[in-house]
């Protein structure tokens, strides 16, 4: 991963966000909502701007921060985003309403493992952003990539999980060990996947960028 120093340097250069976006960032900080780090967010937005996807699927809305940032960055994009936590879903709804983005952001409440048919309704997607329970990444990837358009892109967040994924020495808790094992196996699986060209960016918490072979 990049050092704290490098990360802070990059973050300091990122231009100011609008008032409401800043409010969401503050809310997330105060309430421990794990929204994307600034540097990761900017990188994700760069891919969205390059791709200009007609439709984006996001797994893991939280309070709508990344969905809203993608919508603001790419005016031609419609976004479907899934969240299983009702409180966060409600806050996301409110944020989407306030910013007048209800026509472009569709929020679905429920477990991403159980919403296939609702998600299918809006398919195909040209771009996917997976940012939910890290232990289930492979499952999300396998299920939702069937709804990806031919030259679509999937970005998966947190694939280096605070650097633990690359650490050789033993990890203290069993829970952390098991999570790291799952992320490692996801990374190996995706890097060898015959249908995708993938690379891992050591930015933010680690992002896997997968481009579907056409
Ligand atoms: N993408 C957001 C942050 C998402 S945090 C942003 O950057 O702004 C991850 C979210 O995924 C959490 O709010 C969590 O409740 C949700 N989540 C985890 N597992 C899920 C699942 N199986 N289905 C739906 N949502 C899930
Ligand atoms: Mg994340």
């Amino acid at each position: 991963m990049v050092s704290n120093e490098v990360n802070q340097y990059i973050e300091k250069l990122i231009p100011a966000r609008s008032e409401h976006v800043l409010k969401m960032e503050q809310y997330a900080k105060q309430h421990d909502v794990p929204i994307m780090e600034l540097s990761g967010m900017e990188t994700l937005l760069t891919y969205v701007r390059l791709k200009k996807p007609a439709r984006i699927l996001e797994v893991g809305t939280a309070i709508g921060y990344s969905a809203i940032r993608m919508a603001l960055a790419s005016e031609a994009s419609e976004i479907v985003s899934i969240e299983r936590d009702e409180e966060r879903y409600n806050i996301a709804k409110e944020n989407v309403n306030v910013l007048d983005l209800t026509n472009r952001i569709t929020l679905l409440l429920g477990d991403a493992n159980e919403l296939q048919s609702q998600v299918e309704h809006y398919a195909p997607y040209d771009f996917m952003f997976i940012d939910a329970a890290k232990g289930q990444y492979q499952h999300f990837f396998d299920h939702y990539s069937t709804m990806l358009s031919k030259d679509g892109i999937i970005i998966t967040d947190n694939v280096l999980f605070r650097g633990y994924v690359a650490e050789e020495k033993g990890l203290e808790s069993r829970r952390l060990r098991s999570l790291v094992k799952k992320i490692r196996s996801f990374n190996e699986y995706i890097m060898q996947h015959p249908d995708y060209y993938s690379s891992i960016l050591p930015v933010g918490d680690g992002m896997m960028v997968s481009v579907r072979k056409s």
Side-chain angles (χ1 to χ4, degrees):
M1 309 280 279
V2 298
S3 69
N4 267 341
E5 213 176 10
V6 170
N7 197 48
Q8 277 165 20
Y9 173 75
I10 293 172
E11 290 197 348
K12 257 196 268 166
L13 290 174
I14 295 172
R17 276 80 60 211
S18 70
E19 201 181 318
H20 194 86
V21 169
L22 283 177
K23 266 194 193 149
M24 281 189 278
E25 290 172 7
Q26 280 157 8
Y27 179 95
K29 206 171 193 176
Q30 281 160 5
H31 295 83
D32 274 326
V33 181
I35 63 166
M36 279 207 107
E37 300 80 359
L38 276 185
S39 55
M41 189 70 242
E42 292 302 323
T43 307
L44 179 70
L45 293 182
T46 296
Y47 281 93
V48 170
R49 289 183 180 111
L50 281 170
K51 181 73 181 162
K52 301 184 182 70
R55 213 151 254 175
I56 300 173
L57 173 66
E58 175 180 71
V59 185
T61 318
I63 59 167
Y65 178 74
S66 51
I68 285 169
R69 301 257 0 233
M70 289 191 282
L72 295 175
S74 173
E75 286 190 359
S77 301
E78 290 183 6
I79 301 164
V80 173
S81 184
I82 310 171
E83 175 57 54
R84 69 175 171 196
D85 181 296
E86 194 163 1
E87 198 186 336
R88 286 182 179 172
Y89 163 83
N90 285 327
I91 295 167
K93 272 233 126 117
E94 213 176 290
N95 285 325
V96 169
N97 278 337
V98 169
L99 288 165
D100 217 7
L101 289 167
T102 45
N103 54 337
R104 288 204 289 127
I105 300 180
T106 302
L107 301 176
L108 303 178
L109 173 64
D111 192 310
N113 293 306
E114 290 158 14
L115 286 183
Q116 256 95 317
S117 61
Q118 278 192 64
V119 174
E120 184 110 59
H121 180 75
Y122 302 94
Y125 299 89
D126 322 287
F127 194 97
M128 294 186 180
F129 177 47
I130 301 177
D131 190 21
K134 287 149 239 337
Q136 296 169 44
Y137 273 180
Q138 191 163 326
H139 191 79
F140 296 147
F141 192 100
D142 286 344
H143 273 75
Y144 288 119
S145 59
T146 60
M147 302 178 197
L148 188 71
S149 57
K150 246 184 164 174
D151 53 356
I153 296 177
I154 301 181
I155 294 194
T156 311
D157 193 30
N158 312 98
V159 298
L160 297 176
F161 197 57
R162 300 175 195 162
Y164 291 131
V165 171
E167 256 172 43
E168 290 292 337
K169 58 178 195 290
L171 299 163
E172 58 271 30
S173 83
R174 178 185 288 193
R175 210 177 141 255
L176 188 57
R177 275 202 300 275
S178 137
L179 183 60
V180 161
K181 208 170 145 194
K182 282 187 185 149
I183 299 175
R184 279 183 186 152
S185 103
F186 173 78
N187 289 344
E188 285 156 26
Y189 170 73
I190 298 300
M191 292 302 293
Q192 300 300 327
H193 201 302
D195 301 335
Y196 292 87
Y197 297 112
S198 296
S199 62
I200 295 175
L201 307 181
V203 69
D205 202 25
M207 294 163 71
M208 176 76 82
V209 181
S210 307
V211 180
R212 187 164 169 190
K213 296 180 185 173
S214 45

